[in-house]
Amino acid sequence: MRWIWVRHGETEDNRSHRYLGHYDAPLNERGKEQALAVADQLKNESITYIYTSDLLRCKETAHIIAQPQGMTVVETAALRELNFGRWDRKTYEEIMQANKSLAEKWYNNPYDVTPPEGESFAKLGDRVGRWLSDLEKRMLPTETAVLVTHGGPIRWFLAARISGNPDAFWSVRGPGTGDILITEKYGQTWRSSSS
């Protein structure tokens, strides 16, 4: 079983280094070019399913990938980015200036501490983890799914399922916009085979 993770292409918020959660930002021109490059890289892959976050930047990326394959894209809110609440579309500097104490607590303990009106990494992990477990049950060992999502869910998967340590979230190297990460399941274990 193979999961090909794709982080959506670039948006203007990504370019300006803003936290981008549930705000529905479109791809910018570079993001569209990145999605086309991913589509070209994956054109010879034998893909069974393409799933995407239901946020616009992922949907745009997924449809560009699906077009040469002639495939249908399945949208799910389970693959959404972390909900940053009132921190959505703010820079690190803006967040630290507005609420340094809470921001430091969140950076030190993101699984228990929640951004204002947002969600914790524990909630993100529950949401993504449940959906992935269901996907594993539905897929055959010979099948491949493309998962178009965001940096947060991919880093959670790398920390929780690849390294076996959810607390490693900040220390795992997450993908950049438009990057691909290929993971494969061997027995009950997921491994990263390439990126």
Side-chain angles (χ1 to χ4, degrees):
M1 187 181 301
R2 297 169 79 229
W3 289 347
I4 301 175
W5 297 83
V6 178
R7 186 175 172 196
H8 63 81
E10 185 183 79
T11 69
E12 285 305 310
D13 290 284
N14 297 133
R15 185 190 291 267
S16 57
H17 305 288
R18 295 181 179 279
Y19 284 90
L20 187 56
H22 287 192
Y23 178 77
D24 218 8
L27 298 178
N28 61 18
E29 284 308 309
R30 181 167 184 263
K32 291 173 186 173
E33 290 169 4
Q34 289 173 327
L36 286 166
V38 170
D40 188 59
Q41 285 179 267
L42 298 181
K43 67 183 177 190
N44 296 320
E45 290 282 347
S46 180
I47 297 168
T48 318
Y49 311 100
I50 301 178
Y51 294 100
T52 183
S53 158
D54 63 350
L55 294 173
L56 183 59
R57 57 197 184 270
C58 286
K59 291 193 296 185
E60 288 182 326
T61 303
H63 285 285
I64 290 170
I65 294 168
Q67 196 275 328
Q69 301 271 356
M71 294 186 68
T72 301
V73 173
V74 179
E75 299 174 14
T76 176
L79 289 175
R80 281 186 174 196
E81 180 59 281
L82 183 81
N83 181 354
F84 289 106
R86 292 204 314 262
W87 291 350
D88 209 358
R89 303 189 79 202
K90 303 273 193 251
T91 64
Y92 172 84
E93 292 77 16
E94 288 169 344
I95 291 169
M96 292 300 280
Q97 186 175 23
N99 198 335
K100 183 177 181 181
S101 174
L102 180 59
E104 287 177 343
K105 287 177 186 173
W106 180 69
Y107 285 117
N108 289 327
N109 187 8
Y111 278 89
D112 295 323
V113 179
T114 304
E117 299 173 24
E119 74 181 326
S120 66
F121 280 116
K123 287 185 179 175
L124 177 139
D126 287 344
R127 166 168 52 87
V128 174
R130 277 196 311 272
W131 187 85
L132 292 175
S133 294
D134 287 343
L135 180 61
E136 280 183 272
K137 292 171 189 168
R138 292 193 310 266
M139 287 180 65
L140 298 174
T142 55
E143 292 181 326
T144 297
V146 171
L147 308 177
V148 183
T149 185
H150 310 263
I154 298 172
R155 285 177 69 167
W156 175 85
F157 180 80
L158 288 170
R161 297 279 185 94
I162 300 292
S163 77
N165 178 14
D167 292 335
F169 184 89
W170 292 126
S171 60
V172 296
R173 184 180 177 275
T177 56
D179 281 352
I180 296 171
L181 172 75
I182 298 175
T183 59
E184 297 180 290
K185 189 176 183 185
Y186 298 88
Q188 296 304 307
T189 305
W190 281 96
R191 297 180 193 162
S192 172
S193 61
S194 70
S195 58

PDB file of all heavy atoms in Angstrom, residues 40-66:
ATOM      1  N   ASP A  40       3.060  16.343 -13.525  1.00  0.00           N
ATOM      2  CA  ASP A  40       4.021  15.764 -14.463  1.00  0.00           C
ATOM      3  C   ASP A  40       4.832  14.649 -13.802  1.00  0.00           C
ATOM      4  O   ASP A  40       5.069  13.601 -14.405  1.00  0.00           O
ATOM      5  CB  ASP A  40       4.946  16.859 -15.002  1.00  0.00           C
ATOM      6  CG  ASP A  40       5.840  16.351 -16.124  1.00  0.00           C
ATOM      7  OD1 ASP A  40       5.290  15.883 -17.142  1.00  0.00           O
ATOM      8  OD2 ASP A  40       7.071  16.399 -15.965  1.00  0.00           O
ATOM      9  N   GLN A  41       5.243  14.860 -12.546  1.00  0.00           N
ATOM     10  CA  GLN A  41       6.004  13.832 -11.826  1.00  0.00           C
ATOM     11  C   GLN A  41       5.190  12.562 -11.601  1.00  0.00           C
ATOM     12  O   GLN A  41       5.740  11.467 -11.579  1.00  0.00           O
ATOM     13  CB  GLN A  41       6.467  14.376 -10.465  1.00  0.00           C
ATOM     14  CG  GLN A  41       7.620  15.359 -10.539  1.00  0.00           C
ATOM     15  CD  GLN A  41       7.978  15.850  -9.148  1.00  0.00           C
ATOM     16  OE1 GLN A  41       7.479  16.876  -8.694  1.00  0.00           O
ATOM     17  NE2 GLN A  41       8.820  15.116  -8.458  1.00  0.00           N
ATOM     18  N   LEU A  42       3.881  12.722 -11.426  1.00  0.00           N
ATOM     19  CA  LEU A  42       3.032  11.580 -11.085  1.00  0.00           C
ATOM     20  C   LEU A  42       2.318  10.970 -12.289  1.00  0.00           C
ATOM     21  O   LEU A  42       1.572  10.004 -12.129  1.00  0.00           O
ATOM     22  CB  LEU A  42       1.989  11.996 -10.038  1.00  0.00           C
ATOM     23  CG  LEU A  42       2.520  12.482  -8.690  1.00  0.00           C
ATOM     24  CD1 LEU A  42       1.365  12.829  -7.756  1.00  0.00           C
ATOM     25  CD2 LEU A  42       3.434  11.435  -8.043  1.00  0.00           C
ATOM     26  N   LYS A  43       2.555  11.485 -13.480  1.00  0.00           N
ATOM     27  CA  LYS A  43       1.755  11.068 -14.643  1.00  0.00           C
ATOM     28  C   LYS A  43       1.900   9.588 -14.970  1.00  0.00           C
ATOM     29  O   LYS A  43       0.981   8.992 -15.545  1.00  0.00           O
ATOM     30  CB  LYS A  43       2.085  11.927 -15.862  1.00  0.00           C
ATOM     31  CG  LYS A  43       3.488  11.737 -16.415  1.00  0.00           C
ATOM     32  CD  LYS A  43       3.758  12.677 -17.558  1.00  0.00           C
ATOM     33  CE  LYS A  43       5.201  12.514 -18.035  1.00  0.00           C
ATOM     34  NZ  LYS A  43       5.575  13.555 -18.978  1.00  0.00           N
ATOM     35  N   ASN A  44       3.018   8.976 -14.615  1.00  0.00           N
ATOM     36  CA  ASN A  44       3.214   7.551 -14.918  1.00  0.00           C
ATOM     37  C   ASN A  44       2.954   6.639 -13.725  1.00  0.00           C
ATOM     38  O   ASN A  44       3.165   5.431 -13.810  1.00  0.00           O
ATOM     39  CB  ASN A  44       4.632   7.309 -15.457  1.00  0.00           C
ATOM     40  CG  ASN A  44       4.853   8.018 -16.783  1.00  0.00           C
ATOM     41  OD1 ASN A  44       3.963   8.040 -17.636  1.00  0.00           O
ATOM     42  ND2 ASN A  44       6.022   8.614 -16.949  1.00  0.00           N
ATOM     43  N   GLU A  45       2.502   7.224 -12.618  1.00  0.00           N
ATOM     44  CA  GLU A  45       2.167   6.424 -11.434  1.00  0.00           C
ATOM     45  C   GLU A  45       0.819   5.715 -11.648  1.00  0.00           C
ATOM     46  O   GLU A  45      -0.076   6.261 -12.278  1.00  0.00           O
ATOM     47  CB  GLU A  45       2.063   7.305 -10.185  1.00  0.00           C
ATOM     48  CG  GLU A  45       3.378   7.867  -9.693  1.00  0.00           C
ATOM     49  CD  GLU A  45       4.204   6.850  -8.916  1.00  0.00           C
ATOM     50  OE1 GLU A  45       3.672   5.793  -8.537  1.00  0.00           O
ATOM     51  OE2 GLU A  45       5.392   7.137  -8.692  1.00  0.00           O
ATOM     52  N   SER A  46       0.720   4.526 -11.104  1.00  0.00           N
ATOM     53  CA  SER A  46      -0.549   3.798 -11.132  1.00  0.00           C
ATOM     54  C   SER A  46      -1.337   4.190  -9.879  1.00  0.00           C
ATOM     55  O   SER A  46      -1.172   3.602  -8.817  1.00  0.00           O
ATOM     56  CB  SER A  46      -0.292   2.294 -11.164  1.00  0.00           C
ATOM     57  OG  SER A  46      -1.518   1.600 -11.179  1.00  0.00           O
ATOM     58  N   ILE A  47      -2.179   5.205 -10.011  1.00  0.00           N
ATOM     59  CA  ILE A  47      -2.898   5.785  -8.871  1.00  0.00           C
ATOM     60  C   ILE A  47      -4.319   5.232  -8.834  1.00  0.00           C
ATOM     61  O   ILE A  47      -5.019   5.206  -9.846  1.00  0.00           O
ATOM     62  CB  ILE A  47      -2.908   7.322  -8.976  1.00  0.00           C
ATOM     63  CG1 ILE A  47      -1.478   7.861  -8.906  1.00  0.00           C
ATOM     64  CG2 ILE A  47      -3.779   7.943  -7.888  1.00  0.00           C
ATOM     65  CD1 ILE A  47      -1.344   9.324  -9.285  1.00  0.00           C
ATOM     66  N   THR A  48      -4.725   4.775  -7.655  1.00  0.00           N
ATOM     67  CA  THR A  48      -6.065   4.224  -7.478  1.00  0.00           C
ATOM     68  C   THR A  48      -7.057   5.292  -7.038  1.00  0.00           C
ATOM     69  O   THR A  48      -8.208   5.302  -7.485  1.00  0.00           O
ATOM     70  CB  THR A  48      -6.034   3.097  -6.419  1.00  0.00           C
ATOM     71  OG1 THR A  48      -4.868   2.281  -6.620  1.00  0.00           O
ATOM     72  CG2 THR A  48      -7.278   2.229  -6.507  1.00  0.00           C
ATOM     73  N   TYR A  49      -6.625   6.180  -6.139  1.00  0.00           N
ATOM     74  CA  TYR A  49      -7.498   7.208  -5.571  1.00  0.00           C
ATOM     75  C   TYR A  49      -6.736   8.526  -5.444  1.00  0.00           C
ATOM     76  O   TYR A  49      -5.527   8.522  -5.214  1.00  0.00           O
ATOM     77  CB  TYR A  49      -7.974   6.836  -4.154  1.00  0.00           C
ATOM     78  CG  TYR A  49      -8.522   5.445  -4.010  1.00  0.00           C
ATOM     79  CD1 TYR A  49      -7.743   4.419  -3.487  1.00  0.00           C
ATOM     80  CD2 TYR A  49      -9.845   5.149  -4.381  1.00  0.00           C
ATOM     81  CE1 TYR A  49      -8.234   3.134  -3.340  1.00  0.00           C
ATOM     82  CE2 TYR A  49     -10.348   3.870  -4.239  1.00  0.00           C
ATOM     83  CZ  TYR A  49      -9.537   2.863  -3.721  1.00  0.00           C
ATOM     84  OH  TYR A  49     -10.037   1.601  -3.587  1.00  0.00           O
ATOM     85  N   ILE A  50      -7.468   9.630  -5.554  1.00  0.00           N
ATOM     86  CA  ILE A  50      -6.927  10.946  -5.217  1.00  0.00           C
ATOM     87  C   ILE A  50      -7.871  11.580  -4.208  1.00  0.00           C
ATOM     88  O   ILE A  50      -9.049  11.832  -4.508  1.00  0.00           O
ATOM     89  CB  ILE A  50      -6.774  11.864  -6.444  1.00  0.00           C
ATOM     90  CG1 ILE A  50      -5.835  11.230  -7.478  1.00  0.00           C
ATOM     91  CG2 ILE A  50      -6.261  13.245  -6.021  1.00  0.00           C
ATOM     92  CD1 ILE A  50      -5.667  12.046  -8.752  1.00  0.00           C
ATOM     93  N   TYR A  51      -7.358  11.805  -2.994  1.00  0.00           N
ATOM     94  CA  TYR A  51      -8.121  12.455  -1.931  1.00  0.00           C
ATOM     95  C   TYR A  51      -7.514  13.825  -1.664  1.00  0.00           C
ATOM     96  O   TYR A  51      -6.304  14.008  -1.788  1.00  0.00           O
ATOM     97  CB  TYR A  51      -8.063  11.631  -0.642  1.00  0.00           C
ATOM     98  CG  TYR A  51      -8.759  10.299  -0.736  1.00  0.00           C
ATOM     99  CD1 TYR A  51      -8.027   9.131  -0.952  1.00  0.00           C
ATOM    100  CD2 TYR A  51     -10.144  10.189  -0.599  1.00  0.00           C
ATOM    101  CE1 TYR A  51      -8.654   7.895  -1.044  1.00  0.00           C
ATOM    102  CE2 TYR A  51     -10.775   8.965  -0.688  1.00  0.00           C
ATOM    103  CZ  TYR A  51     -10.026   7.819  -0.904  1.00  0.00           C
ATOM    104  OH  TYR A  51     -10.655   6.613  -1.000  1.00  0.00           O
ATOM    105  N   THR A  52      -8.354  14.759  -1.274  1.00  0.00           N
ATOM    106  CA  THR A  52      -7.851  16.097  -0.990  1.00  0.00           C
ATOM    107  C   THR A  52      -8.604  16.743   0.165  1.00  0.00           C
ATOM    108  O   THR A  52      -9.783  16.463   0.383  1.00  0.00           O
ATOM    109  CB  THR A  52      -7.965  17.003  -2.240  1.00  0.00           C
ATOM    110  OG1 THR A  52      -7.394  18.291  -1.948  1.00  0.00           O
ATOM    111  CG2 THR A  52      -9.398  17.212  -2.676  1.00  0.00           C
ATOM    112  N   SER A  53      -7.911  17.606   0.866  1.00  0.00           N
ATOM    113  CA  SER A  53      -8.560  18.533   1.787  1.00  0.00           C
ATOM    114  C   SER A  53      -9.595  19.324   0.993  1.00  0.00           C
ATOM    115  O   SER A  53      -9.417  19.586  -0.198  1.00  0.00           O
ATOM    116  CB  SER A  53      -7.515  19.478   2.378  1.00  0.00           C
ATOM    117  OG  SER A  53      -8.091  20.665   2.864  1.00  0.00           O
ATOM    118  N   ASP A  54     -10.669  19.715   1.663  1.00  0.00           N
ATOM    119  CA  ASP A  54     -11.721  20.469   0.971  1.00  0.00           C
ATOM    120  C   ASP A  54     -11.438  21.970   0.905  1.00  0.00           C
ATOM    121  O   ASP A  54     -12.290  22.737   0.468  1.00  0.00           O
ATOM    122  CB  ASP A  54     -13.083  20.211   1.613  1.00  0.00           C
ATOM    123  CG  ASP A  54     -13.155  20.699   3.062  1.00  0.00           C
ATOM    124  OD1 ASP A  54     -12.111  21.061   3.642  1.00  0.00           O
ATOM    125  OD2 ASP A  54     -14.264  20.702   3.631  1.00  0.00           O
ATOM    126  N   LEU A  55     -10.237  22.393   1.301  1.00  0.00           N
ATOM    127  CA  LEU A  55      -9.878  23.808   1.189  1.00  0.00           C
ATOM    128  C   LEU A  55      -9.337  24.089  -0.217  1.00  0.00           C
ATOM    129  O   LEU A  55      -8.690  23.247  -0.840  1.00  0.00           O
ATOM    130  CB  LEU A  55      -8.857  24.186   2.255  1.00  0.00           C
ATOM    131  CG  LEU A  55      -9.407  24.119   3.690  1.00  0.00           C
ATOM    132  CD1 LEU A  55      -8.298  24.352   4.704  1.00  0.00           C
ATOM    133  CD2 LEU A  55     -10.540  25.120   3.899  1.00  0.00           C
ATOM    134  N   LEU A  56      -9.617  25.290  -0.718  1.00  0.00           N
ATOM    135  CA  LEU A  56      -9.404  25.643  -2.115  1.00  0.00           C
ATOM    136  C   LEU A  56      -7.984  25.357  -2.610  1.00  0.00           C
ATOM    137  O   LEU A  56      -7.800  24.829  -3.710  1.00  0.00           O
ATOM    138  CB  LEU A  56      -9.768  27.119  -2.326  1.00  0.00           C
ATOM    139  CG  LEU A  56      -9.673  27.653  -3.753  1.00  0.00           C
ATOM    140  CD1 LEU A  56     -10.584  26.873  -4.693  1.00  0.00           C
ATOM    141  CD2 LEU A  56     -10.028  29.139  -3.772  1.00  0.00           C
ATOM    142  N   ARG A  57      -6.967  25.709  -1.823  1.00  0.00           N
ATOM    143  CA  ARG A  57      -5.597  25.526  -2.293  1.00  0.00           C
ATOM    144  C   ARG A  57      -5.280  24.065  -2.567  1.00  0.00           C
ATOM    145  O   ARG A  57      -4.519  23.748  -3.487  1.00  0.00           O
ATOM    146  CB  ARG A  57      -4.603  26.143  -1.303  1.00  0.00           C
ATOM    147  CG  ARG A  57      -4.692  25.620   0.134  1.00  0.00           C
ATOM    148  CD  ARG A  57      -3.981  26.592   1.065  1.00  0.00           C
ATOM    149  NE  ARG A  57      -3.913  26.174   2.460  1.00  0.00           N
ATOM    150  CZ  ARG A  57      -4.829  26.457   3.369  1.00  0.00           C
ATOM    151  NH1 ARG A  57      -5.930  27.120   3.027  1.00  0.00           N
ATOM    152  NH2 ARG A  57      -4.663  26.075   4.629  1.00  0.00           N
ATOM    153  N   CYS A  58      -5.853  23.162  -1.778  1.00  0.00           N
ATOM    154  CA  CYS A  58      -5.655  21.729  -2.008  1.00  0.00           C
ATOM    155  C   CYS A  58      -6.511  21.244  -3.165  1.00  0.00           C
ATOM    156  O   CYS A  58      -6.054  20.448  -3.992  1.00  0.00           O
ATOM    157  CB  CYS A  58      -5.986  20.932  -0.746  1.00  0.00           C
ATOM    158  SG  CYS A  58      -4.722  21.073   0.531  1.00  0.00           S
ATOM    159  N   LYS A  59      -7.761  21.697  -3.226  1.00  0.00           N
ATOM    160  CA  LYS A  59      -8.640  21.275  -4.319  1.00  0.00           C
ATOM    161  C   LYS A  59      -8.057  21.678  -5.672  1.00  0.00           C
ATOM    162  O   LYS A  59      -8.062  20.882  -6.610  1.00  0.00           O
ATOM    163  CB  LYS A  59     -10.043  21.869  -4.152  1.00  0.00           C
ATOM    164  CG  LYS A  59     -10.800  21.295  -2.969  1.00  0.00           C
ATOM    165  CD  LYS A  59     -12.274  21.652  -2.997  1.00  0.00           C
ATOM    166  CE  LYS A  59     -12.547  23.122  -2.881  1.00  0.00           C
ATOM    167  NZ  LYS A  59     -14.000  23.426  -2.788  1.00  0.00           N
ATOM    168  N   GLU A  60      -7.549  22.898  -5.758  1.00  0.00           N
ATOM    169  CA  GLU A  60      -6.936  23.342  -7.019  1.00  0.00           C
ATOM    170  C   GLU A  60      -5.743  22.462  -7.376  1.00  0.00           C
ATOM    171  O   GLU A  60      -5.590  22.042  -8.530  1.00  0.00           O
ATOM    172  CB  GLU A  60      -6.498  24.806  -6.911  1.00  0.00           C
ATOM    173  CG  GLU A  60      -7.637  25.785  -6.901  1.00  0.00           C
ATOM    174  CD  GLU A  60      -7.162  27.230  -6.832  1.00  0.00           C
ATOM    175  OE1 GLU A  60      -6.135  27.506  -6.186  1.00  0.00           O
ATOM    176  OE2 GLU A  60      -7.827  28.084  -7.426  1.00  0.00           O
ATOM    177  N   THR A  61      -4.903  22.178  -6.391  1.00  0.00           N
ATOM    178  CA  THR A  61      -3.733  21.315  -6.618  1.00  0.00           C
ATOM    179  C   THR A  61      -4.163  19.926  -7.065  1.00  0.00           C
ATOM    180  O   THR A  61      -3.637  19.371  -8.037  1.00  0.00           O
ATOM    181  CB  THR A  61      -2.877  21.222  -5.329  1.00  0.00           C
ATOM    182  OG1 THR A  61      -2.488  22.538  -4.916  1.00  0.00           O
ATOM    183  CG2 THR A  61      -1.643  20.365  -5.544  1.00  0.00           C
ATOM    184  N   ALA A  62      -5.141  19.350  -6.355  1.00  0.00           N
ATOM    185  CA  ALA A  62      -5.589  17.986  -6.647  1.00  0.00           C
ATOM    186  C   ALA A  62      -6.195  17.866  -8.041  1.00  0.00           C
ATOM    187  O   ALA A  62      -5.943  16.885  -8.759  1.00  0.00           O
ATOM    188  CB  ALA A  62      -6.597  17.533  -5.592  1.00  0.00           C
ATOM    189  N   HIS A  63      -6.982  18.845  -8.446  1.00  0.00           N
ATOM    190  CA  HIS A  63      -7.613  18.779  -9.770  1.00  0.00           C
ATOM    191  C   HIS A  63      -6.580  18.905 -10.890  1.00  0.00           C
ATOM    192  O   HIS A  63      -6.730  18.273 -11.944  1.00  0.00           O
ATOM    193  CB  HIS A  63      -8.724  19.809  -9.892  1.00  0.00           C
ATOM    194  CG  HIS A  63      -9.959  19.419  -9.145  1.00  0.00           C
ATOM    195  ND1 HIS A  63     -10.832  18.446  -9.595  1.00  0.00           N
ATOM    196  CD2 HIS A  63     -10.455  19.825  -7.949  1.00  0.00           C
ATOM    197  CE1 HIS A  63     -11.817  18.289  -8.728  1.00  0.00           C
ATOM    198  NE2 HIS A  63     -11.610  19.113  -7.711  1.00  0.00           N
ATOM    199  N   ILE A  64      -5.531  19.682 -10.658  1.00  0.00           N
ATOM    200  CA  ILE A  64      -4.447  19.774 -11.643  1.00  0.00           C
ATOM    201  C   ILE A  64      -3.735  18.418 -11.753  1.00  0.00           C
ATOM    202  O   ILE A  64      -3.400  17.962 -12.849  1.00  0.00           O
ATOM    203  CB  ILE A  64      -3.469  20.911 -11.280  1.00  0.00           C
ATOM    204  CG1 ILE A  64      -4.161  22.270 -11.486  1.00  0.00           C
ATOM    205  CG2 ILE A  64      -2.186  20.818 -12.096  1.00  0.00           C
ATOM    206  CD1 ILE A  64      -3.393  23.457 -10.933  1.00  0.00           C
ATOM    207  N   ILE A  65      -3.528  17.741 -10.612  1.00  0.00           N
ATOM    208  CA  ILE A  65      -2.885  16.417 -10.610  1.00  0.00           C
ATOM    209  C   ILE A  65      -3.790  15.381 -11.287  1.00  0.00           C
ATOM    210  O   ILE A  65      -3.324  14.517 -12.043  1.00  0.00           O
ATOM    211  CB  ILE A  65      -2.564  15.979  -9.167  1.00  0.00           C
ATOM    212  CG1 ILE A  65      -1.496  16.887  -8.555  1.00  0.00           C
ATOM    213  CG2 ILE A  65      -2.122  14.510  -9.123  1.00  0.00           C
ATOM    214  CD1 ILE A  65      -1.334  16.719  -7.050  1.00  0.00           C
ATOM    215  N   ALA A  66      -5.089  15.465 -11.023  1.00  0.00           N
ATOM    216  CA  ALA A  66      -6.033  14.459 -11.521  1.00  0.00           C
ATOM    217  C   ALA A  66      -6.281  14.565 -13.021  1.00  0.00           C
ATOM    218  O   ALA A  66      -6.593  13.561 -13.670  1.00  0.00           O
ATOM    219  CB  ALA A  66      -7.354  14.581 -10.770  1.00  0.00           C
TER     220      ALA A  66
END
